[in-house]
Amino acid sequence: MTDEYSRRRLLVTTGGVGSIGVLSISAGCLDGFESETPAESGSNGTTDDANGTRSLETEIGASVDVSALARWVPSSLTSDETTGDDEFVFHYADLDALRAHDAEFSPDVRESTAFSLDDFGVSAADQFAGAELDAALSFGTGSGNDNVAIAGSFDRDGVQTEPTWSVDEFAVYEGEDGAVAVSTEWLLASRAAGVGVDAILDAGRNDAVRRVATDADFETVLDRLETTAIAVGRVGDGGESDPAAYSHAVSVSGETSTVSFVAVPGDGTDPAALADQFERSSLADEFETLSVEALHSVAVAETTVPTAEIELPSLSSWGGERVEQEAQAGVTIDVDSVDRRVTTIVTSLGNADRVEIIDGAGRSDAIAAVGESVTFAYDEGDETTVRTIVVAGETETVVASRSVAF
C-alpha cells in the first residue's frame, strides 16, 4: 500500500516533532458528561439541560461552512510547547467544494487539498478513513494545528474497537498519539499535543467556553469567510502595524476564483491604516486588479484570478512580507505488510534542507536528496507510527505520518 503526501497539507501541518506526546483523558474530566445515552433532541435539533447548555446534536444543514465548524473551538488553548506561542491559528477547507472544482485546480493545489483522516496522525481516526468528509477545520496555537473538527458521514457499526467512553451521541476512542470523538455526523480529533477532545466537546455543548463567543476578533474574521472554500487565519494581540486577526481565503466559482485578505485592527488602530498597508504591500504588485477597502471593523483586500492559478492560502502574506515559511517537501510512504517494512521516499525537496524520518520505537534517519529512500524493518507484532519531518533552516514541519501494525 502506498500513500502520497504533498509538499504542503492545508489541514494537517504541525510545528515539529516536539508537538508529539502522550494524551490521557478520562470521563471524569468532563463536568456533566457522564451519561452514555444520547440526549433526546428537540424540534430544533438541540436540547437544553438544567444548566442552560446545549446538547451535542448537529445544528447543520446541507452546507457546512466555517461558522458551523467553529462551534467546536474552545476559548482556551494550550500554548505551543515548542515556541511558547499562544497565537491562535486555524485552517478551513470546504471539502465538498474542493471536490466539485477538482478538475480546475493546478496539480499542486489538487494534491495539497486531498485531505484524508490518515494524514492527521491520530491512529484512532484511521478506522474511519473510508468516511465521506464534507468540511474540516483544524486549529491550534503557534505553528501547530493539533486539533480538527470534521463534518461528514461516519459509521461506527463497522468499527471493531470498543470506545474508551461515550457522551451523548459521541463515542470517544483514545490512543497514545491522541483521541477522537465520533458521532454519525462529526469527527473531532486532537493530537497528543492538542487541547483534548473533552475540551472540544465541551465547546460544542456550551457557548460560554466557545472561542467564537468569547473572542470578538475571531468572530469578525469568521464573518468574512462564509462563502470560502479554503482559508487560513490567525488571531493574536495585534499592534500598531500588525492586525489582531488576519485571514487569507479563496472562494471558488468555476474557472475564476476570488482571493481575499482580511485584517482586523487591534485596539486603537484604524482599519484605514491596515488598508493602507495592503495598498503599499507586494500584494498590490502581485495582483493587478487588487481592490482594497477599509470597513467599519476590518480592512479587506480582494481580487479575482483564474482558478487554475490559485495557490494555497498562507499566513505569510500579511503586509506583503514573506515571514518564516513552512518547510515543504514531497514524500511517499510505502508499507509492505508481508515483509514488515516501511519505506519513505523523497519525491521533491521544495525549500527543505532534508527530510527526517522517525518512529515511535526510536528509529530515525534523514534524506537530503530527491529519489533517496529510508526503510525501517519491523518484527511481527510491532505497532508504531512513522513520521516524516521536513527541515528548512530552523523550521520543521510534519508532512506525513502513518500508523502501522504487523
Side-chain angles (χ1 to χ4, degrees):
M1 176 174 57
T2 299
D3 294 290
E4 296 285 348
Y5 294 86
S6 69
R7 292 176 297 169
R8 179 170 166 217
R9 285 289 191 183
L10 177 67
L11 290 161
V12 300
T13 56
T14 185
V17 66
S19 63
I20 305 300
V22 177
L23 177 68
S24 177
I25 301 175
S26 65
C29 295
L30 286 109
D31 183 15
F33 280 82
E34 291 84 357
S35 173
E36 296 188 359
T37 304
E40 294 182 3
S41 61
S43 59
N44 64 350
T46 65
T47 302
D48 291 337
D49 63 17
N51 297 319
T53 58
R54 292 180 176 180
S55 80
L56 300 173
E57 291 293 329
T58 304
E59 299 178 64
I60 60 175
S63 177
V64 185
D65 61 26
V66 66
S67 294
L69 290 155
R71 65 178 287 210
W72 300 108
V73 180
S75 57
S76 177
L77 295 170
T78 305
S79 295
D80 187 303
E81 294 181 4
T82 60
T83 65
D85 192 353
D86 60 359
E87 185 176 69
F88 171 68
V89 294
F90 66 88
H91 292 183
Y92 165 72
D94 181 340
L95 301 172
D96 276 340
L98 295 176
R99 283 191 293 267
H101 296 281
D102 180 79
E104 289 135 24
F105 294 142
S106 68
D108 282 348
V109 170
R110 186 182 305 121
E111 182 184 10
S112 299
T113 55
F115 175 72
S116 71
L117 290 175
D118 289 344
D119 298 338
F120 192 66
V122 175
S123 55
D126 293 350
Q127 55 197 331
F128 300 97
E132 179 181 338
L133 311 181
D134 299 330
L137 178 72
S138 64
F139 56 92
T141 55
S143 57
N145 280 15
D146 290 315
N147 316 279
V148 66
I150 303 172
S153 298
F154 304 96
D155 183 8
R156 298 200 305 258
D157 292 341
V159 176
Q160 302 298 317
T161 307
E162 289 294 322
T164 309
W165 50 278
S166 300
V167 53
D168 289 343
E169 74 270 29
F170 282 85
V172 178
Y173 303 85
E174 296 180 2
E176 289 189 354
D177 55 2
V180 297
V182 186
S183 71
T184 57
E185 296 174 308
W186 292 103
L187 185 145
L188 314 172
S190 184
R191 292 190 182 113
V195 70
V197 293
D198 52 347
I200 298 173
L201 287 166
D202 200 17
R205 188 173 191 266
N206 183 358
D207 61 8
V209 295
R210 192 177 300 167
R211 190 176 192 103
V212 71
T214 58
D215 187 335
D217 294 329
F218 182 42
E219 183 181 22
T220 300
V221 165
L222 289 181
D223 288 343
R224 308 292 305 187
L225 300 177
E226 294 297 326
T227 62
T228 59
I230 317 171
V232 298
R234 66 167 177 82
V235 182
D237 295 331
E240 292 184 2
S241 60
D242 291 323
Y246 175 71
S247 68
H248 177 186
V250 177
S251 299
V252 184
S253 55
E255 295 182 354
T256 60
S257 295
T258 300
V259 180
S260 62
F261 307 86
V262 175
V264 180
D267 293 340
T269 303
D270 189 338
L274 298 181
D276 182 60
Q277 284 186 257
F278 274 138
E279 291 178 334
R280 291 185 290 107
S281 74
S282 61
L283 293 176
D285 297 326
E286 183 177 352
F287 301 108
E288 294 181 359
T289 60
L290 188 72
S291 171
V292 179
E293 186 176 11
L295 304 176
H296 174 68
S297 59
V298 297
V300 179
E302 191 172 273
T303 189
T304 300
V305 299
T307 299
E309 296 179 9
I310 66 170
E311 298 179 356
L312 284 184
S314 169
L315 292 177
S316 64
S317 54
W318 162 244
E321 299 177 1
R322 305 306 295 178
V323 298
E324 182 181 60
Q325 292 186 343
E326 188 177 277
Q328 301 173 20
V331 301
T332 297
I333 296 180
D334 183 78
V335 180
D336 187 334
S337 300
V338 177
D339 292 334
R340 297 188 292 275
R341 296 176 181 271
V342 178
T343 300
T344 302
I345 305 171
V346 172
T347 58
S348 66
L349 274 175
N351 66 347
D353 299 319
R354 65 185 183 278
V355 176
E356 296 180 352
I357 303 94
I358 64 171
D359 72 1
R363 297 175 180 86
S364 64
D365 209 330
I367 300 173
V370 174
E372 291 187 356
S373 65
V374 165
T375 298
F376 290 161
Y378 297 93
D379 296 324
E380 186 174 354
D382 284 351
E383 295 185 22
T384 190
T385 299
V386 177
R387 292 182 173 86
T388 59
I389 302 108
V390 179
V391 181
E394 296 182 357
T395 302
E396 296 183 351
T397 304
V398 176
V399 295
S401 66
R402 185 67 182 172
S403 298
V404 294
F406 297 103

